Amino acid sequence: MTVLSNGNAESYVKTPKIKFTKLFINGEFVDSVSGKTFETIDPRTEEVIARIAEGDKEDVDLAVKAAREAFDHGPWPRLPGCERRRIMLKFADLIDENIEELAALDTIDGGKLYNLGKIIDIPSAAETIRYYAGAADKIHGATLKMSRDLQAYTLHEPVGVVGHIIPWNFPSQMFVMKVGPALAAGCTMLVKPAEQTPLSALYYAYLAKLAGIPDGVLNVITGYGSTAGAAISSHMDIDKVSFTGSTEVGRLVMQAAAASNLKPVSLELGGKSPFIIFDDVDVDKVADLALQGSFYNKGEICVAGSRVFVQEGIYDKFLNKLEEKVKRWVVGDPFNPKVHQGPQVNKQQYDKILSYIEHGKKGGATLLSGGNPGGEKGYYIEPTIFTDVTDDMTIAKEEIFGPVMSVLKFKTVEEVIKRANATKYGLAAGIMTNDLNTANTVSRSIRAGVIWINCYFAFDKDLPYGGYKMSGFERDMGLEALNKYLQVKSVATPIHNSPWL
Amino acid sequence: MRVWITLKLKLFCLGQKSYLGREFYQYSTAAAFEEPIKPPVNVEYNQLLINGQFVDAASGKTFPTLDPRTGEIITHVAEGDVEDINRAVAAARKAFDEGPWPKMTAYERTKIILRFADLVEKHNDEIAALETWDNGKLYEQSAEIEVPMFVRLFRYYAGWADKIHGLTIPADGAYHVQTLHEPIGVAGQIIPWNFPLLMLAWKVGPALASGNTVVLKTAEQTPLSALIVAKLFHEAGLPPGVLNIVSGFGPTAGAALCSHMDVDKLAFTGSTETGKVVLELSAKSNLKPVTLELGGKSPFIVCEDADVDQAVELAHFALFFNQGQCCCAGSRTFVHEKVYDEFLEKAKARALKRSVGDPFKPGMEQGPQIDAEQFEKILKYIRSGTEGGATLETGGDRLGMKGYYIQPTVFSDVKDDMLIAKDEIFGPVQTVLKFKDLDEVIRRANASRFGLAAGVFTHNLDTANTLMRALKVGTVWINCFDTFDATIPFGGYKMSGQGREKGEYSLKNYLQVKAVVAPVKNPAWL
């Protein structure tokens, strides 16, 4: 790999002035009740970008109060779907008008590639809002086939006040993935962005207000999970919590929901997704895809294809290709258009990843590439590939959430299905083969929420996404996601003299 | 509010004078006699739109389109015929077979349709003026209801483009089965003159959202608005050949489209008689599937518990809206005997108050009928009503000496077997019928070859539930009427047509379903 940055490289883009640093409650930017703030850090330099209002329980209470009022008495849930659509389309247009600034915020705050932000993350955020804008007037209930003289139907009603807790790895996409369907459904909400990446969420709140989303409908509370996040999970007046993050924290969210008002919870958690390569593939192409699968977004992606199972017939050839290709994988300042990989999000993640790399080295795996920090300053780590990994090694079992690939060898379809499923997670899987039977058999056999055949990270607005097992439950994206934010009410009444039943 | 104040003043002026309906009209509808208001728009497009280009008809022929206020010529429009339909179908075929329209991502289609909706919104008043000039409908109705509704329809279908889902299917046995919903191909669409823009939106919206290409024939009475919106669609980025507009007549251009061997789908809105011809031509040519939205004779049922004032107002609207030129007009007003006398008196008074005049004049409620043919047909039906023994309560004649204005007309003592109770009049003629009980009115309401819509006016839940299930019609409006929305499917039972337009249902008209079946080896589950 090439290291272009030691954290002091000239920035390629003028970083934007930070406009929004306060909590967004009831349509206003306000300080936290305590007056406290926290630092948000540039992972390229470890320097402070800005001080952000630190929301806590009192602030969550205020936001819930505003959202409650907006739901119980405000216009949003009472607007026809086509009016919500109109406002959401405006919101999407405003996102499109501010792509560069939003992309830059996610880059300085999260170390994400600026170029990809401009062409993928932010445009797809606008697309997602537009998709759900189009769904706002397509939320259908059903009229029912009753077995007696009854007329019955279902109404799909907004669930109420929603708390969204989102992670730092895709600040923009996570924001719209949660907010889009909830807005379309007619809910009001508060969003707690990750404390590592609070900047773009505040910007989106501002754009939402400009678009005409009424005050109180969308509130943003920046702060920490153990304080603001916990206050959301245990709030008695929040009707639904939608969380994306680690499996450990997901468990806490669900416990808090159970201990408070039994609010329904949807969880999108960790993964250790298999990326399975069969003998019949074009090794060159698949090696590229496997690198993306493990190192895209610095490996900070819950669906990372972090267990690369390679069939024995092409195992050596595949390793040669990987070794050759990873040399051209450039680590450096994410504003540099030549760079493939920026810094990890913060010190804690950086240290955790490096300790997993140590585990790998000591546990008997072979280090094919990388294995070291990628510079003296900033949280850069070399893209790291371990081979000869066995299923019981820590690096093959736990979610590393960094640029660390584990390569494992297998012989048969049956064997790889068994090993791929031998995990507590079940988020995604990649299947690389041109054999139709293999593709069909394996895709049905893997216990995971998304299967990509001869592609990876093929996300789409219309593609539901979420986990089996301890990767969580319920789905984000697609029309499926609307269900999280809807209650179903069945209505029945007797009828007389109906000519048909 | 202004409208009502004006009307009240006029009534006041009449004072205690005992008047005949005729005299009242001559006073209250001065607008019909004044010089017509000059429409605030110019006609810019009068050619055929084929493959993204405005072109003359192959024959070079044109036909005049008339201002229904005066019967005078607005402009001459290119007259499409067989050869032009052939050219348009060839363009649509190429645009479908070679793309890019069906091959681009659904999201790209969404964006182009959304841009189009934004453009129409920007040109709202201009398009509305053209619609009123050509059709005679109230300008306020065009500008404040129909063009905005047109925009909403396209935005609605823009939102469907990326949500067209097939199914994965649990077959018996170890098979992986999925359905692909694919665009059907080249859609031929024929629209009527009563709502030229909305009819275009109902048909073009779902067809284009699902990736088809279209040849649309407008009604010869109202060719203008389709040309300007289609022009804007191309400005929004619609590729050439995707939407082709051919102006012309039914027996020539319309018939050519219906019998074309390279058109994959037909959608027609118009009269039941023409609908039959359309279906026959499809059967005789390539068996293309046909969606038909035809005539109606919709009952509007006022139950015994009704608030009579409200019922009168709604029944009046249900019939007279758009000069009575609605396929779903509530043209059989069934009134329960307990409230019949009061209803009739008030319905007559309401009709007398209706302001008829230049549709460009603010505050009017009714403009002229579309053309001389309809005008004569309506007057003929009115004569048949009088001759057949119904009581003419008010109206019954033309209004003014110029243009196609007709007095709001109310008949009472109408019997089910009279022509005016059986045929679609498509004009401002309300027929009031008396009924005794629910079973009777259900039987009589259903005793029609049509089955498009029905209005039910009652606050009794059981009555509402019984009627909504018992009526053999495609739409039941309870305590409302003509409540149209992009999301609500519309279409007819019986000879009112087949298939449904609008809502999710309309997508089915433009999609083929392909089942894909493959064995699965060693599946983990079935």
Side-chain angles (χ1 to χ4, degrees), chain B residues 145-419:
Chain B
I145 300 173
E146 296 186 13
V147 180
M149 204 180 248
F150 177 96
V151 169
R152 281 206 299 277
L153 272 149
F154 274 97
R155 290 210 179 110
Y156 175 77
Y157 282 108
W160 268 125
D162 55 7
K163 299 173 187 72
I164 294 171
H165 295 159
L167 298 170
T168 55
I169 291 169
D172 180 4
Y175 291 97
H176 175 62
V177 184
Q178 52 189 321
T179 51
L180 299 177
H181 291 192
E182 301 182 344
I184 198 165
V186 175
Q189 305 181 327
I190 302 176
I191 59 171
W193 45 261
N194 58 341
F195 293 93
L197 283 169
L198 290 176
M199 293 299 108
L200 182 149
W202 289 19
K203 292 196 164 37
V204 171
L208 293 194
S210 45
N212 299 276
T213 61
V214 168
V215 176
L216 178 112
K217 190 197 91 62
T218 47
E220 65 271 20
Q221 295 87 343
T222 53
L224 298 179
S225 57
L227 295 172
I228 186 173
V229 296
K231 172 72 172 53
L232 293 175
F233 220 146
H234 287 83
E235 266 176 44
L238 192 74
V242 174
L243 174 61
N244 305 277
I245 310 284
V246 178
S247 325
F249 292 85
T252 51
L257 193 55
C258 296
S259 25
H260 206 289
M261 292 301 287
D262 226 9
V263 170
D264 303 306
K265 161 78 196 174
L266 280 178
F268 170 80
T269 296
S271 71
T272 296
E273 290 63 39
T274 311
K276 283 183 176 176
V277 176
V278 169
L279 199 56
E280 274 176 22
L281 291 176
S282 161
K284 283 183 188 159
S285 56
N286 62 345
L287 277 175
K288 51 182 92 58
V290 179
T291 305
L292 297 173
E293 204 267 275
L294 309 174
K297 190 73 187 176
S298 299
F300 184 95
I301 302 170
V302 180
C303 298
E304 59 184 311
D305 69 320
D307 174 319
V308 174
D309 289 327
Q310 285 176 16
V312 164
E313 190 56 39
L314 195 60
H316 178 81
F317 169 72
L319 185 281
F320 290 101
F321 175 62
N322 206 48
Q323 293 71 248
Q325 299 169 150
C326 296
C327 48
C328 56
S331 52
R332 287 185 292 154
T333 311
F334 287 100
V335 183
H336 192 274
E337 58 178 4
K338 274 194 189 157
V339 290
Y340 182 85
D341 292 340
E342 187 189 353
F343 180 94
L344 190 61
E345 188 189 326
K346 289 180 169 167
K348 178 181 165 181
R350 179 63 187 90
L352 278 165
K353 276 201 322 195
R354 188 167 185 81
S355 54
V356 186
D358 191 325
F360 279 106
K361 186 172 176 177
M364 289 295 110
E365 294 179 285
Q366 184 177 317
Q369 308 306 126
I370 185 74
D371 64 6
E373 191 187 332
Q374 287 295 318
F375 178 77
E376 293 302 339
K377 191 180 123 190
I378 295 161
L379 291 176
K380 208 174 110 195
Y381 272 118
I382 291 174
R383 283 194 297 276
S384 108
T386 318
E387 287 158 10
T391 307
L392 178 67
E393 294 285 345
T394 180
D397 205 347
R398 76 177 299 172
L399 191 59
M401 299 311 291
K402 198 172 166 191
Y404 311 123
Y405 295 93
I406 290 183
Q407 297 171 351
T409 299
V410 178
F411 279 108
S412 62
D413 303 321
V414 179
K415 301 279 171 288
D416 293 357
D417 58 349
M418 292 179 187
L419 215 50

Side-chain angles (χ1 to χ4, degrees), chain A residues 8-28:
Chain A
N8 53 6
E10 283 289 304
S11 197
Y12 289 77
V13 173
K14 199 170 180 302
T15 52
K17 186 172 165 283
I18 305 305
K19 293 176 184 159
F20 308 107
T21 58
K22 298 184 183 183
L23 314 177
F24 188 76
I25 299 177
N26 208 18
E28 303 290 334

Side-chain angles (χ1 to χ4, degrees), chain A residues 12 41 60 77 79 153 176 229 323 332 345 365 418 438 442-443 470 473:
Chain A
Y12 289 77
I41 308 282
V60 168
L79 287 177
Y153 54 88
V176 296
E323 199 174 6
V345 73
K418 202 169 133 219
T438 307
V442 179
S443 59
M470 288 179 71
F473 46 83

Side-chain angles (χ1 to χ4, degrees), chain A residues 459-486:
Chain A
F459 286 110
D460 193 86
K461 312 167 288 297
D462 203 35
L463 183 95
Y465 158 71
Y468 280 46
K469 298 193 268 185
M470 288 179 71
S471 290
F473 46 83
E474 298 201 343
R475 296 292 178 266
D476 284 315
M477 302 302 281
L479 295 182
E480 205 69 48
L482 287 168
N483 297 332
K484 301 183 359 177
Y485 306 110
L486 293 168

Side-chain angles (χ1 to χ4, degrees), chain A residues 93-161:
Chain A
D93 289 346
L94 289 171
I95 295 171
D96 271 339
E97 284 165 26
N98 291 279
I99 285 177
E100 300 204 347
E101 193 167 346
L102 285 162
L105 288 180
D106 281 352
T107 299
I108 54 169
D109 220 9
K112 293 170 63 69
L113 297 183
Y114 175 67
N115 261 20
L116 289 190
K118 273 200 309 184
I119 60 168
I120 297 175
D121 291 58
I122 313 300
S124 83
E127 277 186 35
T128 301
I129 293 292
R130 227 168 251 134
Y131 174 86
Y132 286 112
D137 55 7
K138 298 174 183 68
I139 296 169
H140 294 141
T143 54
L144 309 172
K145 207 71 186 166
M146 306 292 281
S147 53
R148 284 179 289 144
D149 286 9
L150 290 167
Q151 166 69 15
Y153 54 88
T154 54
L155 296 174
H156 290 197
E157 301 181 343
V159 73
V161 175

